[in-house]
Amino acid sequence: MERSVKQIGQAEAYRTIRNFMIMPTVMKFGGTSVGSPDAFENVAHIIRTRLALSPVLVVSAMSGVTDALLASTVIASNGRADEAIGSIADVFTRHQSAAKTLLSQPTAQSYINHLEEARTHIGDYLKLITLRPAQLRSLQDAVLAFGETLSSWLLADVLNERGVIAVAVDARECVITDDEHGSAAPLMAETFAASQSLLLPLIETEWVPVLGGFIGASRTGRTTTLGRGGSDYTAALLGAALDAREIQIWTDVTGVLTADPRVVSAAQTVERLSYGEAAELAYFGAKVLHPKTIQPAIEDCIPVRICNSHAPDKVGTLVCAQTESTPRTVKAIAHKTGVTTVQITSARMLGAYGFLRALFEVFEKHRTVVDVVTTSEVSVSLSLDDAASLPSIVRELEQLGTVRVEKGRAIICVVGEGLRGTPGIAAQVFSTIKDINVTLISQGASSINFTFAIEEERVKEAVTRLHEAFFEEKAAGVGR
Ligand code: ADP
Ligand code: ASP
Ligand code: MG
């Protein structure tokens, strides 16, 4: 073998050696993959046929459960605890009937006993929310965590009754985070150490750990959550902590598609994406992956595979360091709605330093994330997802210049490695939607995205037309 360690890269060499040792595969099943008794049965089948991969399982709450729990906390925060408790009766009925359908009588009974304890605890938290509305965010996390906890207990029981030795592990003992309730950031060193010490012994004895995604705990032991859709992120964190062979995201579609299938029915599976491409797509609206999922995988070059739990034998999408060089430069189109754009115009900007710092300090002060930014000599345009603090932000920005706010915008992001070096892509995008007013055009520094804003009402039409132009048979455009 002539290839040196240097040539193949240290991380890859290490992984080659580790291939001969036990390398787990982290498999995450989303809400629709555990939405019903049949879906649980299906997941159990997928796992039983993949035990050789040393699975570590991450599971979301049953579909709709997080939404219902969240809505109940809002009702409670309006002082209506009894109504809040009543509003989630269906959550318990669904788990109970799934347990009765899937488990033997004694196991089902023991699960239902735990379910009843959970019902009591959730009720107590909801009452506490009405008494202490100032603690809403932390109490909300405590309530939401039950969604993932209940589904992970159920999956562990289902597996055990089907011959797989599975152990429910409380994710709060593995994922250690800061105190930012609702969108907590994991503390990497602590999370890695805790996950390794808890999970590696189980993996080595060939037991299958089952963890709820999305949830963690602060250093002081308070329950936190990683943000909506965060179970993907849990899977990626555990994958990195355990130096997994692969991180698999099992969902209800066959991989990352060329566009959102809810908008474009002709969207097709993208077989391979680079980490950068997948991150851009996730960030700009491809809900199939939580935007933070890719980050933990990058450092150790862990492949991320997106698979369809309803069609497990279909080839989904493989996300890894190298992208396949395809004749097509555009790989996929993502979009997100509910965006606000803000334009600040000021002659003071001309040749002055410190202006941009002052401007971004306003957003920092209000903890508001800025997505896309473009500048000219005298103006800055930017886009925001979260406009909750907008009135105060605008008031402060007005000290710097004239401010124009446009609500009801959508961002469209055309993604493909090497986009910048391919002539004609922008021309084709704009000629395809030439009758739609485009603002805030940005070609990312990464050279793999081309992003712009339009009016929200026209986003479906725009994405459909762009998809036709770049991906559908009749197209004969640039990049194919
Ligand atoms: P899960 O519950 O498994 O986490 P999500 O609902 O979070 O699943 O994500 C899967 C959904 O993402 C799909 O059903 C699809 O509607 C949506 N989606 C949006 N954009 C894309 C895309 N480009 N490729 C695949 N799915 C997408
Ligand atoms: N159950 C959580 C949510 O609905 C986390 C997830 O599904 O990834 O956001
Ligand atoms: Mg999801």
Side-chain angles (χ1 to χ4, degrees), residues 205-226:
T205 39
E206 298 187 3
W207 291 6
V208 177
V210 187
L211 297 94
F214 174 57
I215 61 181
S218 67
R219 279 187 179 134
T220 53
R222 294 185 87 109
T223 299
T224 54
T225 58
L226 305 178

Side-chain angles (χ1 to χ4, degrees), residues 410-426:
I411 297 273
I412 297 182
C413 180
V414 176
V415 169
E417 201 83 54
L419 259 186
R420 185 155 53 190
T422 311
I425 299 284

Side-chain angles (χ1 to χ4, degrees), residues 28-29 34 57-61 148 151-152 155 210-213 231:
K28 174 261 170 175
F29 292 88
V34 290
L57 306 180
V58 174
V59 66
S60 290
E148 269 56 23
S151 62
S152 62
L155 183 58
V210 187
L211 297 94
S231 296

